[in-house]
Amino acid sequence: PTRLPSPTPFRSTRRIQEVERLDRVIGQLLEFARPSTLRIKPVRVADLVQHSLKLIDGDARAKGIEVKSEVPSNLPDVPIDADRMSQVLLNLYLNSMQAMDAQGILEVKVSRDETRKLTTIIVADNGGGIDPADQERMFDPYFTTKPDGTGLGLTIVHKIIDAHHGTVKVKSKPGLGTAITLILPDAEEEQDRG
């Protein structure tokens, strides 16, 4: 029998990367298509942010990106969907890291307005910034400026924050970086939103 040549490591690596990319695309399509049912419970935001930052620590170090966080430890528990909010933060972190070169800085700041019952999370980077024309479309489904992007990451961010009855604000200048602000009003516990 004729023996086929074994795949070279380069081909094998490319196949794995392509499978991972397709898996990500399918996952994002499914996430985008399903209704936003939230599981609202009191969450320690400081723990949520620190845990989400640990998930990107290796990638940030490999890229030479410094990660800074300002999260007061005395924040009260906030009623949100922890899994969905982690997804939002990871999407924002990954976008920021893709926008930066080595020596980039990713900053996460959390603050609380107890009077108005609002929690604010800012994810900022010193990357290339976003063109003003693209800022108007960046939350549109399938809009992307990345060659391997799906155009669904920021759409999902917007959808989850909207399901929390929150607001997403973008401040960006080309060459000077981007700051995305999430403003989250306290939600009612154990209520499905969609």
Side-chain angles (χ1 to χ4, degrees):
T2 309
R3 185 175 254 188
L4 294 172
S6 61
T8 63
F10 177 72
R11 278 188 180 162
S12 180
T13 302
R14 282 187 60 147
R15 284 188 190 135
I16 291 169
Q17 288 173 339
E18 186 61 19
V19 167
E20 287 173 347
R21 189 184 76 78
L22 288 172
D23 188 45
R24 190 174 67 245
V25 169
I26 291 166
Q28 288 182 336
L29 281 168
L30 291 171
E31 179 65 35
F32 177 63
R34 82 173 153 205
S36 289
T37 302
L38 302 179
R39 291 186 177 92
I40 302 294
K41 292 187 174 131
V43 173
R44 281 188 45 85
V45 177
D47 292 348
L48 178 82
V49 169
Q50 295 309 324
H51 176 72
S52 65
L53 287 173
K54 281 181 189 166
L55 295 175
I56 60 147
D57 185 58
D59 289 339
R61 268 194 266 156
K63 246 190 128 174
I65 292 170
E66 182 182 356
V67 177
K68 296 180 178 181
S69 64
E70 286 182 31
V71 186
S73 57
N74 62 345
L75 287 173
D77 289 2
V78 177
I80 55 175
D81 183 318
D83 290 339
R84 294 297 179 95
M85 203 53 61
S86 288
Q87 185 180 6
V88 164
L89 293 174
L90 286 172
N91 272 336
L92 295 179
Y93 300 162
L94 294 174
N95 277 357
S96 286
M97 292 196 323
Q98 288 172 352
M100 292 186 283
D101 298 320
Q103 279 70 55
I105 299 173
L106 171 66
E107 292 184 86
V108 183
K109 295 179 184 177
V110 180
S111 61
R112 174 80 180 159
D113 182 335
E114 200 57 50
T115 306
R116 296 169 60 208
K117 301 291 182 197
L118 295 174
T119 301
T120 301
I121 303 172
I122 300 172
V123 177
D125 65 63
N126 64 348
I130 303 166
D131 186 274
D134 291 342
Q135 287 182 44
E136 295 174 18
R137 301 178 56 207
M138 62 189 276
F139 295 107
D140 292 352
Y142 310 111
F143 175 76
T144 184
T145 58
K146 300 175 205 158
D148 62 344
T150 63
L152 289 173
L154 288 176
T155 303
I156 291 168
V157 164
H158 194 272
K159 181 179 178 183
I160 292 171
I161 297 301
D162 193 50
H164 279 85
H165 299 284
T167 307
V168 182
K169 293 183 178 180
V170 180
K171 188 175 180 182
S172 183
K173 288 189 178 177
L176 297 176
T178 300
I180 296 192
T181 302
L182 311 174
I183 302 169
L184 298 162
D186 285 1
E188 294 175 29
E189 290 179 40
E190 302 299 337
Q191 182 177 347
D192 287 345
R193 308 246 172 140

